[in-house]
Every structure is written in structure tokens, then in C-alpha cells.
Amino acid sequence: MSSTLIKCFNLAKTVGNATVKSFLAAPKQPWQACSAAALQTPHVQMPMQMHTSPVRRDLMEFFDDKKNWSENEVKVGRAWRTEELRIKSNKELHQLWFVLLKERNMLLTMEHECNDKMEVFPSPERIDKVKISMENLETVVRERNKAYHLLETGETGERPQKAVKNAFGLQVSYKSCEHALPPFMNLKWIKSRNIGFGGRAVNRFLLKYREKLYNAKRKAKNRSRNEVMMILRRNPNFDLNVLRRQFPDVNVDKLCNEDKIRGHYVPKVGV
């Protein structure tokens, strides 16, 4: 082996040893210190920082506080309103969503456990309040997403939907979704969406269903008319403008000329 090649090997070995020594002597970075601590204590786990409430490392987090187990009523507040959620930031809404999700899971677990033990679930309206709060939060987030998409692209960003009729002939809303195949090639989609309705049974059902809707509307109108008549019978000098605003479906002027609104009193006759 030539002397030049031996000198090159010795030089490379010297440079490598110096680089390793300088790396070991350099101050450790924060990530290196954390890695070393993790290696020294392998059984210690860092707590999660996503929790908004104190972390409990047990399954009792799915249950309510023990002091509420024997109570018949738990005092709670009302649901979150949309006008209150609109002033919150996106980060606060994100945190509130997980708080409500955690509360809903706890309440559903407690309800199932009370039903299993045949006990009374205290304040079951808490589940409805949590659901209303989550629906209002989704409404606010959807409003912000629509405003952002309208500003950036000129579109709402919502899934397009259209009114279609199902197998019973009732009009429903269908939301479009993405498919791997185009519509004319997707035979499964064509069979599932092109549902024709017809036949004697469906027509009879639609006839009775429309009759039911008509009767409900007619009875509601009659109730409003009777209520206006009772008000005018007891208070002949009642403000008619207030009745028109409160009962827009009732013809108040026509009722004023009927005999049914006259009370059982003797009118004063001038002497």
C-alpha cells in the first residue's frame, strides 16, 4: 500500500474522532434532555394537556360525582345559546365541544346504569340541555365556515342538496356526496336513488296523510278563532290591533260583526 493512501486513512480517522468528541462535549439540546430523561425513567408517562378538567386515570370519570348518586334532583344551569357562542373564539369552541362531549358520555353512562339498577336518574333534562348546546355550537361553527367559504370562493361550502320523493311519495331532502364512479356508470346508486312510487296502497296512504295534515291545520285555525271570540266576549273593548298581530290567521273584523262574540249583558240605553 502506498504511503499516500496510508496518510489519507490516518487523516480520516483523526477527523472522525475529533467530530465525535466535539459532539459529546457540546451542551445538550432540550429534546435531547427529554429523551435522556425518558430513557432513564421508562415507566413514567407525561400527562396529557388536552383535558380541560382535572385528569383522573380511572373509569370513574364516566360517572357523576358520588354526592349526586342518591339525589333526586341535581341543580344545573341552562343550555348554551347561539348568541353566547358567537362571541367565543374557535379555540374556546373547540374546548367547549370536548367538555360537552365528555358531559354527554357521563350522563348517558349514568342513565344506563340507573336503568340497569332500576333507580331514578336524577335530572334527566341534563341530557337534553347538553344536546341543545352541542347543536347550537355546530350551528355557530357552520355559520363561520359558510362565511369563510363565501369570502374565499363565493360558495357556501355546504353539501348540495335537493328535494326528492321517497318510496312513500313524501318529499325529503337528499344531500349529494362524492362517488368513485360517475352517475351513469354507478348502477347501485341508480337503483337506490331512482325509487318510483305508485300503486293503490301508496296513493291511499298519500290521500290519508294529506287529510291528516288538513285536519290538523283546520283544528288549529278553529282553536285560534274560538280564542279570539272568547277574548272579545269577555272584553268587548279589547284592542283589535293586538289581536291581529297575535292571531294573523283569524279575520278579526269579520268576527266583530257576528253574534257569538256578544256577552250576556244588557246594553245601556240612553234615557
Side-chain angles (χ1 to χ4, degrees), residues 193-204:
R193 298 314 313 168
N194 291 344
I195 300 176
F197 66 94
R200 184 177 302 176
V202 176
N203 293 332
R204 186 177 180 182

Side-chain angles (χ1 to χ4, degrees), residues 59 65 115 142 204 224:
L59 293 178
D65 196 354
N115 293 337
R142 188 174 291 108
R204 186 177 180 182
S224 300

Side-chain angles (χ1 to χ4, degrees), residues 2 26 29-30 33 47 53 62 70 90 97 109 122 138 199 205 233 250-251 253 264-265:
S2 62
Q29 300 294 331
S53 58
F62 283 96
S70 59
N90 292 336
W97 174 263
T109 304
E138 286 184 341
F205 164 75
R233 183 180 298 177
V250 180
N251 191 353
D253 298 331
H264 299 281
Y265 64 91

Side-chain angles (χ1 to χ4, degrees), residues 44-247:
V44 178
Q45 298 181 359
M46 300 296 292
M48 297 293 292
Q49 301 297 329
M50 189 61 194
H51 293 275
T52 55
S53 58
V55 180
R56 294 185 297 173
R57 299 183 180 278
D58 53 5
L59 293 178
M60 294 304 297
E61 196 170 3
F62 283 96
F63 296 90
D64 199 359
D65 196 354
K66 290 186 177 180
K67 65 181 181 181
N68 297 331
W69 287 6
S70 59
E71 299 291 335
N72 295 328
E73 183 180 0
V74 180
K75 293 183 179 180
V76 294
R78 55 172 175 79
W80 285 86
R81 299 174 181 172
T82 53
E83 53 268 16
E84 296 172 346
L85 297 172
R86 288 191 180 100
I87 62 178
K88 300 286 185 181
S89 62
N90 292 336
K91 182 178 180 180
E92 292 174 345
L93 291 179
H94 192 208
Q95 294 175 352
L96 180 59
W97 174 263
F98 280 97
V99 171
L100 294 172
L101 183 62
K102 180 180 176 182
E103 185 73 12
R104 188 189 67 175
N105 292 340
M106 183 270 294
L107 293 174
L108 293 178
T109 304
M110 288 296 300
E111 184 184 26
H112 178 76
E113 187 68 16
C114 291
N115 293 337
D116 192 20
K117 296 296 182 59
M118 294 185 180
E119 296 180 358
V120 179
F121 177 53
S123 300
E125 68 276 2
R126 292 183 291 173
I127 300 178
D128 298 333
K129 293 180 180 180
V130 171
K131 290 182 179 179
I132 293 173
S133 300
M134 297 180 76
E135 291 176 359
N136 293 339
L137 196 151
E138 286 184 341
T139 301
V140 173
V141 173
R142 188 174 291 108
E143 289 177 355
R144 295 184 181 183
N145 289 339
K146 290 176 64 176
Y148 172 78
H149 283 285
L150 286 173
L151 183 63
E152 294 292 332
T153 63
E155 299 179 356
T156 60
E158 296 283 339
R159 291 171 57 184
Q161 56 183 359
K162 59 181 180 180
V164 298
K165 293 185 177 181
N166 57 10
F168 299 101
L170 302 178
Q171 190 170 353
V172 296
S173 178
Y174 170 71
K175 289 186 177 182
S176 303
C177 56
E178 295 182 358
H179 296 274
L181 297 176
F184 64 91
M185 296 178 59
N186 197 345
L187 300 180
K188 183 178 180 181
W189 179 85
I190 293 175
K191 292 179 181 178
S192 63
R193 298 314 313 168
N194 291 344
I195 300 176
F197 66 94
R200 184 177 302 176
V202 176
N203 293 332
R204 186 177 180 182
F205 164 75
L206 290 176
L207 181 63
K208 292 185 176 297
Y209 180 73
R210 291 164 185 164
E211 182 182 0
K212 178 182 177 181
L213 295 179
Y214 171 76
N215 290 334
K217 184 177 180 181
R218 178 177 56 82
K219 291 179 181 179
K221 187 175 181 180
N222 290 340
R223 284 194 298 267
S224 300
R225 180 173 175 273
N226 294 336
E227 187 174 355
V228 172
M229 286 181 3
M230 291 298 298
I231 292 175
L232 292 177
R233 183 180 298 177
R234 297 175 181 176
N235 305 286
N237 298 325
F238 198 86
D239 192 359
L240 300 181
N241 294 326
V242 176
L243 291 177
R244 294 190 186 97
R245 289 194 300 267
Q246 188 174 358
F247 302 96

